[in-house]
Amino acid sequence: MAPTLQHTVSPFLEPGPRTKPNSLAVLQLSRDNFVPVYLQEASGEHDGYVEGAVINTRYGSFPHSTLLNVPWGSQVRASKVDTGSRGRKRKRQLDEEAGCETSEPIEDENEKGNSNGADKEHGDGDEAKQLVTDASGFIHVLPPTPEIWTTSLPHRTQVVYTPDASYILHRIRARPGSTLIEAGAGSGSFTHASARAVYNGSPVEGKRQGRVFSFEFHEERYHKMKKELSDHGLDGVVTLTHRDVYAGGFLVGGKSPEADAVFLDLPAPWEALPLLSRQRPQLKEGEVGEAGAKPWVSPLHPKKSVLLCTFSPCIEQVTRTVSALRHLGWVDIEMVEIANRKLHTARDRVGLYLPVDRGVNNSAKDVEEAITKLTEIEERFRENARPKQSADGTEPAKQESKAATNGKTPMNGAALKYPWLDGRLVTRGEPEIKTHTSYLVFAVLPMVWTEEDEAVAMAKYPLGRERFVVSVMGKASMKEERREAMQQKQGNRKSRRKDRDEKLAEVEG
Amino acid sequence: MYSIIRPNTWVAIRLPSGVTRNILVTPNATISLGKYGSFPANFIIERPYHITFEIEDQRPDEKFSRIRIVPASELYAEIFADEESPDCSAPTADAAKSVISAEGGAEFTLVDAESGKLVTRSNGEVIDENARQTLTQDEIEELKREGNNAGKDVIAKLMLSHTALDQKTSFSLAKYKLLKTKKYIRRFQILPVDVPNLAHWQLEERDASKILDLRAEMIALVGSWGNVHYGGDSVYLEDPQATCEQGEEALAPLREDLLKGRWLVVDDTGGLLVAAVAERMGVLFPELDEDKSNLDEQTKRQRQEAEAEAEENQDGDVVMADVQDSAEKPNDGAKPKKPRSSDFEIPFSQTNTITVVHSASQPSLAFLGYWNFDAVAPSHVEHPLCRHLMCLTWLQLLKPELDTAYSTPPLTASTELLASWKPSRRGNFHRKRRRFARTKHIVEATRAGGFSGLVCASTMDPISILKHTLPLLAGGAPVSMYSPTLEPLAALADSFSVSRRTAWTSGTVPEVVVKTVEELERWEGNEQFPLNPTLLLGTSIQTSRARRWQVLPGRTHPLMTERGGTDGYVFTAWRAKPAEGKVAAKGKFKRRKLETGSAAESEAAETPIA
C-alpha cells in the first residue's frame, strides 16, 4: 500500500497521543465503515493532487495534511479539493503521451486550473495551510486496534472475528511474555490480536520476549501478510514463515520456538498435531525412519503446560481432532462454540397522532388511544347517518370535528420539542447474525515428568514433617466426617449409654 | 506461571465430581480431599500443573497415602476402546440377545436404515437403578474401607453386581459408569489459579452475583474492546531526596509526558476485573525464573539457595504494612542493596498502570489475594501490582480538597526532633508522609487525564461514570463497559443516539452553542443531554455466549444444561475529539442512489453520526 514505512513501535501497541506520518491510522466514515490509511506527509504533488496525498470518500476529500499530527479520535472536516480537473488532466496526459507532445502545456494547465478553481487560495508552495473546509462532511481518525483492523482488513480468507479471537486468547492464556504458535495466518486478524496479547515491551536482557510464530502455506497470502506486518511495525513481535506445517513442522530456523500456546486454524489439525508433541512422533505406516539421524526437537516449551486451540467449522473435523488429541496425551479437552450478538437501541415511536415520519408507527399506542379513535369514527358515522337538515349546517360541523381532533392530539410539549426523548427505548438484535463461526477445541498438554524430576522434588520437599491438615471441604463437612468416623468406631450415644448401663448393672449385680 | 506448583501459592484442585476447590499449598501440610482421601502436600509441590494424580491405597507401614501420576492413555482407555469397536454407537455386550425388534412397537428404538443395525435400544425397560444393585450400602462402605485400588475395585464390583446391566442401552451404561466413577474414583487434577479458572470457580461454585455474573467470554470481550495490553516498560520518577524538614514543596512534580499506557478501571466484582486487566498487562504474576530466557545456571542456583534460606527464616510474620521496607530488606540474595529512598519517592511506575476508582473508602479487591496481593496492606514480598496498581476514591478524583489524606499537608520535623522520638512514633511519621506523597501523586496523575482506555464492570449508573471519566480519556481511547443487565447500557447508548447528536451539532440547543469545545468536554449534563453525545464514537452493545459440547465417539452433542441467569452485555465505543463549531455533513450519494434508492436514503439519515 504505502512505500517504505519506518517505525519505532507499532501503532497497534503504542499509538502515542497524536497521528504520525508514515504510520497506520483508521478513518471512521460511518458507524461500521472503517478505512485503513497510511498517512504521508505532503511533499509536493501526489497522484495529481496539489495538496499531496488525498483520501476521497463519500463525505468529501481529505488531504493527509489535515489528518496528520492531530490527536487520535479527532473529528476532521472535509476540504475543498479539486478532484475534477485532475481527472481531465489525467485524460489529457494520456492523450498527450499518445501524441508524444511536450509536458509544458500540462503545467500551464495546472496553474490555470488553480487560479480558476473554486478556492483561489491554492498556491504552489504552502497549499496545506490554506486548505478550505468543505461542508460535504467529516470523518474521525482512530488509532488502529486489532478490533478495528478485523473489520477493515482486506479479506484473503475467512476471518477470525473478535468474539472468537478474544475468547481463544483468554483461554489459551496468551499474555505478555507468552510464545504463541499460529498456523494458518490467513488474513492476519488473529495475528494482530495475538501480537497485542503477547507483546511485553522492548527487549531486555533476561526477560523472555512475547512472540508470535505464525505460519502460512499459501505463498501469495504469505507475501501480502509479510508486507502488512512490516508496515504495521509488528516485525519484532511476529515471525512469519512460509511453510506447509503438516510436512514441515513448527521449528523456526531449526530451533524450537518454545511455545506455550498454540492456535491452529487449519483444515486438518490432526495432521499437524503429531508435530506439536513433546516426543518424536510415531512414524506413519510406509514412512521410512530416515529422521533417526537428527535428534527430535519439540516446538513446545519443555517446562510449561502448553495450551492449545483449534478452529474448525465442521463437526467431523472436531471429532478427528479430539481423537488425535486424546491419543497424543492432551488433557482437559473441551469443545466450545461462541455465539455473539450485537444489539441496537432505538426509540420505538408508536401513536396515532404522531407526525408521519420514517420509523414512526402510526397506529394506536394503547387501548385508550384506540378507543378515542373508534369513538371519533363512531361519532362521525352517526353524524353522517343523521338526516341532513341543510347543506349550510353540515359543512361547518364537519370542519369543527376535524379541528377538534387536531386540537386533541395527545402530545406533550417536551416530546415535540425533543424528538430524541420521545418513544420507548428498545433494543433489538442486528438484522443478520452469525449463527456459526467455528467450533473451538481447547486442550492442555502437561509437561513431561520423569523419575529424575520426581527424585529432585522429593529431596527438596521430604515427607514426614506433616503438621496440619488443609481440607478442600468446608468446616461443617469436616466436622460431619469426623462425627461419622467416631460413630463407626464407638456407635452412637444411645448404644454407648446402653453399654455403660449394662456394665454398671454387671458391677452392681 | 504454568510450569510447576510453587510452595505457598493458591491452586485449584479439580475433583472427580467436577468440583474445583481453591487451596493454599503449604509445605508440610496434609491435603484432605474429603471422601476421596488425603495426601501430604509435599507430594505436589514443584510438580507440574494439569497432571492427573491418583491417591494410592495406604501402605501398611506408612501413615500417609502416596499419589501416582495417571498417564493420559489410562484416562482415555475407555474412549479408545469405544473408538476401536467397529460401530461406536452399537451396544458392545451381547447386543443380539436382548434386541427389541423394530416392529416390537418401542418407539424409542432406532435402527440404522442402511446397515439394519440397532442404534439405540428402548429405554422403556430400564427400571430404577437401586432396585437392580445387589450390593447394599454397608457392603459398599466396607469395600471402600479396605484397599480398593483407588476406587476402581468399587466401581468394578458395582458394575458386576448390577443385575440389569445387560438391559441398559450403551448410552445409559456409559452414564451409569460415569456416575459411579465420579463418586468413587480417587483422582484429582491441579490447576493454576488464574483469571479464567478463578472466574469459572466463582461463577459455577460460589456466588456468581459477587462477580456480576462475569463469564469468561465477557471478560475476554471487555478486555479486548478496552484494548488492554502491555502499556510500555516501567518508568519511575526520580526520588526527590526530600528531607524530613521539607513539606509539600519537595514533592516530585508530575511529568505528564511520561504518563503512558494507563487504564482506568471501575470494578465492582471484588477485584476480578482488575485481575483480568492486570493479567492482560502482564502485572498479575510475579516474574519467575523460567520466564527469563538467558539466566545462566549459576545465578539460578544462587537464587534457589536464597529462596530456600528465605523460606527457613520466614516464620509467620509475613505481613508488613509497607512497601517501603522492601527496599531495605532484599528478598533476593543476588540483588545489591538499594540506598534508602526518601519519604517522597513515588513507588508507582508512570507507564503500564491500572487506576482503580472506587466508591467506598477502601477498594474492594479481595480476589487479588489469590495472587498474594493485598491492596489494603501490600506485603513486603515484591508483587508487580505494588508498582502498577493505583487506587483512589471518587471523592479524591472529583473533590480532592474534601479528602483528608489529600488535603492535609505532610508533617515535618527536624532531624534532632525526629531522633528524640520513640521508634513507633517515628515510623508513624514516615508512614504518613509516604501516604501523602502517594495520594498526591495518584490524584494528580489521574486528574491529568490522558488515559488509554476505560474498563468498567460496575453496579453504578454507567451514565454517571462516563460523565466524570470521559474528560480523562485520551482521544481515540476505547471505552468498554460491562453490565449484567441490558437496560443501563441501553439507556447509555440512547444518550449517544443519532437524533441527539444531530440536535447537538446542528446548533439548535442554546446551552450548547455558547460553550467552547473545552467546556463541552466537561459537560455537566441536563435532562435532554445527560452526556455530551459527540464525545463517543461507534457506540455499540454486544453479548457473547459460549456453548459447551460433549465430544465422544458417536455421542457428540451440546451439553444438556448450563448455567442460566444473565448473559451479560458490553458497551463499547471510542473517545472522540469533536471539532469546534457547527459541523455539517451532507455527503455525496449520487452513485449510490442510482443503485439502491432506499439504501442511500438510510445512509443519508445516518450521516450525522459519522
Side-chain angles (χ1 to χ4, degrees), chain A residues 239-490:
Chain A
T239 309
L240 187 67
T241 312
H242 174 221
R243 185 184 297 166
D244 172 15
V245 291
Y246 299 150
F250 295 90
L251 301 187
V252 177
K255 273 196 211 147
S256 167
E258 299 207 336
D260 50 18
V262 180
F263 174 67
L264 299 180
D265 182 5
L266 300 169
W270 56 91
E271 299 257 329
L273 282 173
L275 296 161
L276 284 168
S277 167
R278 294 197 189 274
Q279 293 95 27
R280 177 187 298 281
Q282 284 171 348
L283 291 172
K284 281 180 221 153
E285 271 177 57
E287 257 183 320
V288 199
E290 48 84 35
K294 268 190 267 170
W296 158 257
V297 182
S298 167
L300 307 179
H301 195 293
K303 295 257 175 251
K304 279 186 177 181
S305 296
V306 176
L307 288 91
L308 164 133
C309 174
T310 71
F311 189 79
S312 321
C314 306
I315 198 86
E316 288 78 12
Q317 290 170 303
V318 170
T319 319
R320 287 192 73 172
T321 308
V322 170
S323 172
L325 284 170
R326 285 192 180 120
H327 283 275
L328 289 164
W330 294 77
V331 298
D332 285 355
I333 299 168
E334 192 181 28
M335 196 258 265
V336 163
E337 191 186 10
I338 297 281
N340 181 263
R341 273 187 317 137
K342 276 212 175 95
L343 298 159
H344 293 309
T345 55
R347 287 279 181 168
D348 216 2
R349 299 172 72 194
V350 183
L352 278 172
Y353 304 105
L354 288 177
V356 181
D357 195 4
R358 221 178 112 252
V360 173
N361 184 350
N362 291 94
S363 59
K365 93 177 168 200
D366 51 19
V367 177
E368 278 68 37
E369 209 175 73
I371 286 178
T372 320
K373 179 81 181 174
L374 288 172
T375 327
E376 244 171 60
I377 293 169
E378 281 303 312
E379 259 171 34
R380 222 179 293 157
F381 177 73
R382 238 172 275 146
E383 250 167 48
N384 287 346
R386 223 176 284 155
K388 282 172 193 169
Q389 292 173 336
S390 69
D392 304 311
T394 332
E395 287 299 310
K398 253 186 192 172
Q399 262 170 10
E400 227 172 72
S401 85
K402 244 185 200 170
T405 349
N406 283 344
K408 243 196 271 172
T409 314
M411 286 265 275
N412 48 8
L416 263 178
K417 203 174 165 195
Y418 310 114
W420 56 89
L421 288 179
D422 190 25
R424 185 191 289 133
L425 180 60
V426 291
T427 51
R428 49 172 80 87
E430 52 191 337
E432 198 183 290
I433 51 168
K434 291 191 183 73
T435 41
H436 178 61
T437 52
S438 270
Y439 295 115
L440 314 176
V441 178
F442 293 97
V444 183
L445 188 63
M447 61 186 268
V448 177
W449 194 245
T450 60
E451 300 270 320
E452 295 90 71
D453 296 332
E454 180 65 33
V456 170
M458 200 56 147
K460 201 167 168 194
Y461 292 95
L463 294 172
R465 288 198 284 178
E466 279 68 46
R467 284 174 303 188
F468 51 95
V469 177
V470 182
S471 177
V472 299
M473 320 310 285
K475 254 185 196 159
S477 60
M478 257 176 100
K479 230 180 212 173
E480 181 70 26
E481 227 168 80
R482 227 173 295 144
R483 193 177 303 133
E484 265 173 32
M486 284 276 280
Q487 264 181 12
Q488 267 166 4
K489 232 184 259 171
Q490 308 171 336

Side-chain angles (χ1 to χ4, degrees), chain A residues 23-249:
Chain A
S23 184
L24 181 69
V26 181
L27 307 184
Q28 194 206 27
L29 302 189
S30 64
R31 204 171 185 288
D32 297 310
N33 192 357
F34 298 96
V35 179
V37 169
Y38 298 89
L39 296 177
Q40 292 162 37
E41 246 163 332
S43 50
E45 204 180 275
H46 181 272
D47 200 18
Y49 291 109
V50 280
E51 295 89 354
V54 170
I55 302 142
N56 290 308
T57 73
R58 78 163 69 104
Y59 302 103
S61 301
F62 299 88
H64 284 205
S65 50
T66 60
L67 303 167
L68 269 172
N69 202 27
V70 295
W72 290 111
S74 288
Q75 186 181 35
V76 178
R77 289 191 180 86
S79 299
K80 281 196 174 140
V81 170
D82 181 15
T83 47
S85 71
R86 170 179 158 270
R88 287 198 302 276
K89 207 160 62 190
R90 264 205 181 159
K91 212 176 164 194
R92 190 167 303 171
Q93 206 168 1
L94 284 176
D95 291 344
E96 278 159 8
E97 267 166 31
C100 284
E101 273 178 47
T102 52
S103 61
E104 252 172 282
I106 304 173
E107 264 162 35
D108 284 346
E109 180 67 27
N110 192 6
E111 267 166 50
K112 214 190 278 170
N114 274 339
S115 54
N116 295 343
D119 43 306
K120 286 175 184 169
E121 291 97 330
H122 280 197
D124 280 323
D126 47 359
E127 320 86 354
K129 281 168 202 154
Q130 296 176 346
L131 286 167
V132 165
T133 56
D134 191 1
S136 61
F138 56 83
I139 50 170
H140 283 94
V141 200
L142 285 175
T145 67
E147 289 72 41
I148 300 177
W149 181 248
T150 301
T151 54
S152 63
L153 57 80
H155 276 227
R156 297 184 283 262
T157 54
Q158 183 62 42
V159 169
V160 183
Y161 287 101
T162 304
D164 283 322
S166 62
Y167 184 68
I168 294 166
L169 289 167
H170 184 65
R171 283 286 302 263
I172 62 176
R173 276 77 168 177
R175 30 173 106 107
S178 292
T179 309
L180 190 136
I181 285 180
E182 180 203 27
S187 301
S189 157
F190 190 81
T191 318
H192 282 79
S194 50
R196 176 183 66 183
V198 304
Y199 170 70
N200 67 342
S202 48
V204 176
E205 202 184 323
K207 184 163 85 172
R208 200 184 164 84
Q209 286 300 115
R211 298 294 298 274
V212 177
F213 290 88
S214 191
F215 297 87
E216 177 56 52
F217 169 56
H218 194 271
E219 185 159 9
E220 198 190 340
R221 283 206 291 268
Y222 162 76
H223 286 300
K224 277 191 179 151
M225 177 96 183
K226 188 99 188 152
K227 172 95 177 61
E228 212 169 81
L229 286 173
S230 84
D231 284 353
H232 295 176
L234 290 170
D235 293 335
V237 185
V238 183
T239 309
L240 187 67
T241 312
H242 174 221
R243 185 184 297 166
D244 172 15
V245 291
Y246 299 150

